Amino acid sequence: GPTIADDIKTSAVWAILLSLAAVFFYIYIRFKRWQFGMGAMVALLHDVLILLSLFSIFNGILPFSLDIDQQFIAAVLTVMGYSMNDTVVVFDRIREEIGVNPDLGNKPLMIKTINESINHTMSRTVMTATTVFLVVTVLLFFGGDVLRGFSFAMFIGVVFGAYSSIFVAAPIVIDLGSSKKEKK
């Protein structure tokens, strides 16, 4: 049927939570700073919560079904993969810039370095999001009833996935990277 059983919903929630934990450890190992792992995890959680909330808000308003079914779960996991990839690209550039400026103990230098890194990757982020957005838009309008829920979830996810890679993940790294003395 259009909706899924409770055991599949529970499995999906566990899959999302375990994937968030795996993402944290992957980013932590790759970038050797827990702040990057936490920034990526918060950005992914942000994407999932926005997607769930907009799906709930527009359920019954839009002329197509927005049931939480297997296609929706596939869309959530796809959005997480898309956002994760984008976040890793931004973090890679930050890591490259940190290699040039290893003294990031002070917050102003860290902010400057992260800002420059984001500016270097901005065109790639915008072009990738625009390309995926156009394809998903075509699927949304011409894909048929079966693909509309998936396409709508991807439509939302692409926009907020690109947004969170820049405006959520990086500021979390900055906030968590500053020392207690600087916060006072």
Side-chain angles (χ1 to χ4, degrees):
T3 58
I4 55 178
D6 288 334
D7 59 333
I8 296 176
K9 286 181 187 177
T10 304
S11 298
V13 168
W14 277 110
I16 290 170
L17 292 176
L18 289 174
S19 66
L20 286 173
V23 162
F24 175 80
F25 288 114
Y26 167 73
I27 297 291
Y28 174 71
I29 290 168
R30 182 166 178 178
F31 296 101
K32 299 188 180 28
R33 291 187 180 188
W34 67 271
Q35 292 92 344
F36 286 100
M38 189 61 71
M41 196 173 74
V42 169
L44 289 177
L45 188 61
H46 166 269
D47 297 339
V48 171
L49 290 177
I50 292 288
L51 189 57
L52 282 170
S53 64
L54 290 178
F55 236 70
S56 298
I57 290 169
F58 289 119
N59 190 17
I61 296 173
L62 293 176
F64 49 87
S65 174
L66 292 178
D67 293 330
I68 305 232
D69 55 4
Q70 293 171 341
Q71 287 86 10
F72 176 76
I73 293 170
V76 168
L77 294 174
T78 304
V79 165
M80 287 177 68
Y82 171 80
S83 179
M84 180 66 197
N85 182 47
D86 206 26
T87 302
V88 166
V89 168
V90 172
F91 283 175
D92 267 342
R93 179 56 77 164
I94 292 170
R95 183 178 58 182
E96 289 173 9
E97 294 293 326
I98 287 174
V100 175
N101 301 320
D103 181 33
L104 288 179
N106 62 17
K107 193 170 180 177
L109 182 58
M110 185 176 184
I111 291 171
K112 182 179 181 239
T113 302
I114 290 177
N115 190 34
E116 288 174 0
S117 302
I118 289 172
N119 285 335
H120 290 156
T121 59
M122 183 69 76
S123 62
R124 181 241 180 240
T125 300
V126 169
M127 291 305 290
T128 303
T130 302
T131 303
V132 175
F133 187 76
L134 290 173
V135 171
V136 169
T137 302
V138 169
L139 276 176
L140 182 64
F141 291 111
F142 302 112
D145 290 335
V146 176
L147 289 177
R148 285 218 167 71
F150 176 83
S151 301
F152 183 69
M154 287 296 298
F155 188 83
I156 294 167
V158 167
V159 172
F160 285 100
Y163 167 81
S164 70
S165 297
I166 295 169
F167 297 109
V168 175
I172 295 286
V173 171
I174 291 170
D175 286 343
L176 295 176
S178 62
S179 67
K180 292 179 183 177
K181 291 179 184 177
E182 291 175 353
K183 287 183 180 179
K184 289 181 181 179

